Each structure stands twice: as structure tokens, then as C-alpha cells.
Amino acid sequence: MLTNWVVMPTCLPLVLRRCHTCASDRFRADGKFRVNANHKLLDIWLLVLCTACGETAKLTVLERTHVRSVRPELLDRLHDNDPSLAAELLQDPVVRRRNRVALDWNDAWRLDTGGTDHLDREVIDVSVRFAARIPVRPVRLIAEGCGLSRAEVERLITEGNLVSVARLNARLSGDFTFTLKR
């Protein structure tokens, strides 16, 4: 019987970027946008706040873009400061690369295993689905979901009792499956 687990975000991740005012390197996004119009050209930024001093920094979303090339529903979401849009844009690799930032997902996600009834079975087939692109080591997910230590999960991998097509020791942000034999 296949068990489904879901890795879900609980809040927006921290943005890793150096603050120009203090020595901090972490910013938090609260879903606020700044839209600036210069005639028919738009500049759009996602505003982030330094976790130490509260200084505001701008992450460029669109730069010198003609107003007609931006979908009206997107513009409405920007003007409404839609937090789900902020989450989408933070996960966009183009936005992260343009602004030279990385994301810190520590304490910003949870694993939903659907209960503990799967722990008594001899063989567990699990499908892990990611609700967002959250880079996590599968060993950590398996340890948390099955109530094991990470060392015990590593031992199960070396013994061949925990198998998967995906590399379980590397960070993954995409769906995978595994089989655990006790």
C-alpha cells in the first residue's frame, strides 16, 4: 500500500543577502511589492526587510517593462500585495539569479505524513510530494516521517533495506518514492 507524504511550506523562506546597513545576511519577505510607473514603463520590486536592523531592500521582479506586456491580473495581485505571489516569485530561479540571492528554508516547512498508521508495517512504500521547491535531504524527511534517527536511516540505506531511485543523501526539491523494509 502506497503512503503519500507532502512537504509543505509553513511561511515564506528567509532571503540570504548581505545588508548594507548592518552585518546581517538574512531578510524576510512579508509579501509587499513596489510598483513604479515611468510613463508607459514599469519597474516592480519585492520588498524585503533585514531581520537585524529592519532596513528595506528591493528585489527586482520586472525592470523597464512596457505596461501592456504585464497581464492585468498580475498587476492586480501586485497592487494587492498578494503573499502567494511573493512566494511564487521567491521560488522563481530567474528572480533569484537576477538579484543574486538564495533562500533559507530552515523552519519554513513541515512534513505531512497523514498519520502514524504506516509505522507498524513490515514494508512501507512512500511517495513524497513537494508542494513547493524546498531543498531537503530525503534522509532527514525519512527520519522525521518514520521516527528514526538519521544515523539509523543511513544504516538502513547501506544495508539495502531502504531503497529509492533518487539519491537519498543529496538535497532534493522534487517528488520521489522510496521503499523501507524493516
Side-chain angles (χ1 to χ4, degrees):
M1 184 171 155
L2 186 67
T3 305
N4 294 313
W5 292 359
V6 180
V7 179
M8 302 178 65
T10 56
C11 61
L12 292 175
L14 292 177
V15 176
L16 299 176
R17 172 187 172 151
R18 193 175 69 77
C19 180
H20 295 293
T21 305
C22 67
S24 176
D25 63 345
R26 301 207 184 302
F27 285 80
R28 64 178 157 68
D30 55 358
K32 302 263 191 253
F33 292 94
R34 168 124 190 256
V35 179
N36 189 25
N38 185 3
H39 299 285
K40 294 182 181 183
L41 300 178
L42 290 178
D43 290 317
I44 300 171
W45 298 283
L46 173 63
L47 302 178
V48 292
L49 300 171
C50 177
T51 56
C53 68
E55 181 71 21
T56 301
K58 298 184 290 189
L59 302 180
T60 303
V61 176
L62 293 175
E63 196 170 38
R64 298 287 175 209
T65 304
H66 197 278
V67 71
R68 289 184 187 256
S69 67
V70 179
R71 294 185 330 270
E73 13 348 298
L74 175 62
L75 241 123
D76 290 341
R77 289 177 74 190
L78 290 165
H79 286 299
D80 293 340
N81 291 322
D82 186 359
S84 63
L85 178 61
E88 291 172 28
L89 291 172
L90 280 176
Q91 293 181 36
D92 186 359
V94 174
V95 172
R96 288 200 321 257
R97 194 175 318 112
R98 176 185 296 145
N99 293 286
R100 295 185 187 102
V101 297
L103 300 179
D104 179 9
W105 281 98
N106 289 336
D107 302 325
W109 61 271
R110 69 180 174 84
L111 178 64
D112 183 17
T113 59
T116 59
D117 59 337
H118 64 279
L119 297 177
D120 341 355
R121 288 188 251 149
E122 192 67 32
V123 177
I124 304 171
D125 287 320
V126 178
S127 170
V128 180
R129 188 179 64 79
F130 286 79
R133 279 178 259 154
I134 304 170
V136 183
R137 293 186 192 280
V139 169
R140 179 178 178 187
L141 292 176
I142 295 167
E144 186 176 320
C146 294
L148 304 170
S149 68
R150 288 189 199 174
E152 194 170 349
V153 172
E154 294 282 352
R155 182 183 55 78
L156 289 169
I157 292 171
T158 55
E159 290 175 355
N161 292 332
L162 178 59
V163 293
S164 176
V165 175
R167 286 190 55 204
L168 298 176
N169 292 327
R171 287 185 183 262
L172 289 179
S173 58
D175 302 350
F176 69 96
T177 59
F178 68 90
T179 302
L180 173 64
K181 301 173 192 166
R182 294 189 187 233

